[in-house]
């Protein structure tokens, strides 16, 4: 949360969904899942996008973990993973056409 606050994101908007243990031979990390209920501003999206990008390429300030943008109305998900691009998926092809 401290890292998200460092870019000016209001972490009070986050709601905890729960944690999931990922079992492996060497360790069992805990993945925590949070979500923002309702709509957020374009500025908040920019702050979260920065955190996602900065986390992957090691610049500061940066977020902690992966950030996925989910648009329930359009039924689409985007994940910015580094300075080269992002993954975007949608249930309907037309939603993704503007990206091309």
């Amino acid at each position: 949360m401290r890292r998200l606050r460092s870019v000016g994101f209001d972490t009070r908007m986050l709601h905890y969904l729960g944690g999931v243990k990922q079992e492996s031979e060497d360790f069992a990390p805990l993945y925590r899942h949070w979500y923002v209920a309702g709509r957020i501003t374009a500025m908040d999206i920019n702050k979260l996008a920065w955190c996602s990008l900065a986390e992957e390429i090691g610049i500061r300030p940066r977020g902690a973990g992966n950030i996925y943008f989910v648009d329930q109305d359009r039924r689409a998900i985007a994940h910015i993973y580094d300075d080269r691009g992002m993954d975007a998926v949608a249930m309907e092809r037309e939603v993704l056409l503007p990206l091309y």
Side-chain angles (χ1 to χ4, degrees):
M1 293 301 167
R2 180 177 39 85
R3 289 183 179 182
L4 292 174
R5 286 190 295 269
S6 75
V7 297
F9 184 78
D10 183 359
T11 56
R12 293 175 297 177
M13 297 184 341
L14 295 174
H15 301 275
Y16 186 61
L17 281 175
V20 176
K21 276 202 180 243
Q22 180 69 41
E23 299 295 333
S24 73
E25 294 177 12
D26 300 326
F27 59 93
L30 177 66
Y31 294 94
R32 293 178 181 90
H33 303 281
W34 302 81
Y35 73 98
V36 176
R39 302 208 181 273
I40 61 175
T41 67
M43 183 60 75
D44 286 328
I45 291 171
N46 286 342
K47 291 172 185 175
L48 291 173
W50 171 268
C51 287
S52 186
L53 175 66
E55 177 68 17
E56 292 293 329
I57 61 177
I59 56 177
R60 293 178 190 257
R62 64 176 178 239
N66 294 315
I67 297 173
Y68 292 83
F69 297 92
V70 179
D71 186 329
Q72 292 179 339
D73 295 336
R74 293 186 180 131
R75 300 181 343 158
I77 299 174
H79 173 239
I80 302 170
Y81 54 83
D82 65 18
D83 59 334
R84 294 170 290 175
M86 69 178 184
D87 294 325
V89 295
M91 297 298 291
E92 297 168 3
R93 181 176 170 259
E94 293 75 26
V95 172
L96 297 176
L97 289 178
L99 296 176
Y100 291 98

